[in-house]
Amino acid sequence: MSNYKIETKCIQSGWKPEKGEPRVLPIYQSTTFKYDTTEEMGKLFALEENGYFYTRLQNPTNDAVASKIADLEGGIAAMLTSSGQAANFYAVFNICEAGDHIVSAASIYGGTYNLFGTTLKKLGIDCTFVDADAPAEEIAKAFRPNTKVLFAETIANPALVVLDIEKFAKLAHDHEVPLIVDNTFATPVNCRPFEWGADIVTHSTTKYMDGHAMQVGGAIVDSGNFDWMAYGDKYHGLTKPDESYHGVVYAEKFGKAAYIQKATAQLMRDLGSIPSPMNCFLLNVGIETLPLRVERHCSNAQKTAEFLDAHEKVSHVNYAGLPGDKYYELAKKYMPNGTCGVISFELKGGRETAVKFMDSLKMAAIVTHVADARTSVLHPASHTHRQMNDQQLAEAGVSPGLIRLSVGIENIEDIIADLAQALDNVE
């Protein structure tokens, strides 16, 4: 469906019913699928034929939604996971093993920072965090001979750093590694990283794609552009025989789809983390209205950012839609139609004032979530980034008094009125 605009793809891609089949994507709520002969199922296990036999590996509902997300991003193939964290883990672990090294922007979601800096280290994979805004030659110093991946977020959560994708793509490719970009906040409606040189995109589909806080999920999308065979010794998991699957060489057998095929056949087989068909059905319903909601989120966030920026009790606002924001020009380049509905800001009174302000909100809810239809608020230093020390918080762009505000799609006058009355309650 490459000729359709993204609004059409959000509705039409993925599920293509035949004559007499349901027009709406059905929920294949089954763990297993029947075959008539032993040989038929044997060919599926041998990766000799495509088909469904066990939902942990493949399911028609899940695959339809994965296909839609791949189409939205302009990728060759996609795999859904049970969470955004699982997506980021699988995306890296699919091409890394003990003894390897990755480079990541420091300004990323706190859970991902901990995944890379602590959990992967237990698996023998080291990570060096870099300042995404640093000059390319400075970031280049972080690369090692055993570096396998460069990772970043298009819009960092919650620091709202806008990534210079072309700079990062060149860095990655100069060092013969793929660039993996988490595109959760921007969504493919506002940014398509593959068009700027990224190789693999991940999503927490829990956020804007779902849009209603109904399901937790993740996605990995491969562009099909990174040439694994050109670096066969480095990425031997894709270019050498997999003895756990009858010696298949993924890059030879599956070509551009090798990365996702390996992630499905190997990692999902061994580690699980598949989303339920019901969750994928709910995700698909959310995606159908994604362009409409993203437009409203961005419109409301822009007006909210302008209100906060002009308020005497606010010390500063981070939102790339503001002309004075340091990422304004980058946002215009990569996301000309808007960035996202998330704002971060700090009050003049610091941490104690931030807590009092948040507790005074009436409509906006304090929740460990972001990017759904409802306006919500969170204090990163106390919540999502609580496990970090002061130095790590600073590297992630999280000050002690920083407030993350996820602007919903309610009436903008009601959103601003709620913020105004809460600000009246703080000194």
Side-chain angles (χ1 to χ4, degrees):
M1 306 191 77
S2 58
N3 294 329
Y4 287 132
K5 305 297 184 185
I6 198 162
E7 294 86 351
T8 304
K9 289 182 176 183
C10 281
I11 297 171
Q12 297 288 346
S13 289
W15 172 245
K16 299 175 178 62
E18 302 293 335
K19 180 179 178 180
E21 290 186 332
R23 182 66 187 89
V24 174
L25 174 66
I27 306 169
Y28 286 83
Q29 195 66 46
S30 178
T31 61
T32 52
F33 301 84
K34 174 186 175 295
Y35 287 88
D36 293 330
T37 68
T38 302
E39 183 180 2
E40 288 175 341
M41 183 166 285
K43 289 181 178 180
L44 299 177
F45 275 95
L47 303 180
E48 293 176 0
E49 290 187 3
N50 291 323
Y52 300 100
F53 55 95
Y54 196 56
T55 283
R56 187 175 81 243
L57 296 174
Q58 289 176 302
N59 175 283
T61 304
N62 301 18
D63 283 2
V65 183
S67 177
K68 174 177 285 190
I69 294 174
D71 196 22
L72 296 181
E73 286 287 6
I76 190 73
M79 182 181 81
L80 300 186
T81 62
S82 58
S83 69
Q85 278 296 88
N88 282 333
F89 171 58
Y90 280 18
V92 171
F93 198 55
N94 197 35
I95 47 178
C96 291
E97 59 186 41
D100 288 340
H101 172 253
I102 67 174
V103 177
S104 172
S107 52
I108 57 175
Y109 169 60
T112 310
Y113 190 102
N114 195 66
L115 168 67
F116 291 169
T118 302
T119 303
L120 285 186
K121 187 172 291 187
K122 296 176 182 177
L123 298 176
I125 301 168
D126 198 14
C127 178
T128 300
F129 292 101
V130 297
D131 179 359
D133 295 334
E137 55 270 21
E138 187 66 29
I139 299 174
K141 296 176 182 177
F143 286 82
R144 306 173 186 172
N146 61 336
T147 302
K148 293 285 192 70
V149 167
L150 177 60
F151 181 93
E153 296 174 353
T154 47
I155 304 175
N157 175 14
L160 301 182
V161 173
V162 175
L163 181 69
D164 189 340
I165 305 172
E166 284 189 314
K167 179 180 81 174
F168 262 57
K170 187 176 187 306
L171 274 164
H173 299 154
D174 283 350
H175 292 86
E176 301 179 346
V177 305
L179 171 61
I180 300 179
V181 174
D182 185 327
N183 197 31
T184 295
F185 270 15
T187 82
V189 172
N190 282 343
C191 183
R192 286 159 58 91
F194 293 155
E195 296 176 359
W196 301 100
D199 300 290
I200 296 158
V201 161
T202 62
H203 285 276
S204 170
T205 62
T206 317
K207 310 303 191 298
Y208 286 119
M209 281 193 174
D210 171 290
H212 303 86
M214 292 191 298
Q215 63 85 42
V216 175
I220 308 169
V221 188
D222 182 22
S223 67
N225 293 331
F226 194 82
D227 188 353
W228 307 107
M229 291 300 292
Y231 314 107
D233 291 337
K234 179 179 283 190
Y235 299 103
H236 54 84
L238 284 158
T239 62
K240 303 296 182 183
D242 178 2
E243 299 305 331
S244 73
Y245 245 121
H246 316 295
V248 64
V249 178
Y250 294 101
E252 290 181 355
K253 186 174 181 63
F254 300 103
K256 287 182 176 293
Y259 175 87
I260 293 296
Q261 184 65 48
K262 176 180 179 293
T264 302
Q266 192 183 84
L267 297 188
M268 197 63 79
R269 174 198 66 188
D270 294 346
L271 300 174
S273 297
I274 193 75
S276 74
M278 181 66 193
N279 275 17
C280 293
F281 172 83
L282 293 172
L283 170 59
N284 187 62
V285 172
I287 292 174
E288 289 182 351
T289 60
L290 180 62
L292 297 173
R293 290 183 289 101
V294 165
E295 183 178 359
R296 180 61 173 263
H297 279 294
C298 290
S299 171
N300 280 356
Q302 182 68 33
K303 294 172 183 175
T304 300
E306 291 169 357
F307 164 77
L308 291 169
D309 194 46
H311 201 284
E312 60 181 8
K313 294 182 181 179
V314 177
S315 62
H316 69 272
V317 178
N318 300 318
Y319 190 68
L322 295 174
D325 190 270
K326 66 183 293 187
Y327 300 108
Y328 181 73
E329 293 301 326
L330 272 180
K332 283 204 305 182
K333 174 181 177 178
Y334 293 116
M335 307 162 205
N337 297 321
T339 54
C340 66
V342 181
I343 297 168
S344 62
F345 64 99
E346 190 160 1
L347 302 180
K348 291 180 178 177
R351 184 169 189 150
E352 291 183 5
T353 304
V355 171
K356 186 174 181 181
F357 163 79
M358 291 170 58
D359 290 347
S360 298
L361 291 165
K362 296 179 179 178
M363 184 181 74
I366 301 172
V367 298
T368 311
H369 190 50
V370 68
D372 70 39
R374 305 158 188 82
T375 297
S376 60
V377 67
L378 180 138
H379 184 239
S382 298
H383 304 147
T384 55
H385 292 62
R386 192 181 186 96
Q387 76 279 7
M388 293 185 179
N389 59 40
D390 289 345
Q391 180 181 342
Q392 291 171 334
L393 285 171
E395 290 174 353
V398 178
S399 58
L402 190 74
I403 297 168
R404 185 184 74 180
L405 177 68
S406 178
V407 182
I409 59 175
E410 303 96 342
N411 185 282
I412 187 57
E413 294 181 7
D414 294 331
I415 294 171
I416 291 178
D418 190 30
L419 297 175
Q421 65 82 25
L423 286 166
D424 288 343
N425 282 341
V426 300
E427 298 180 359

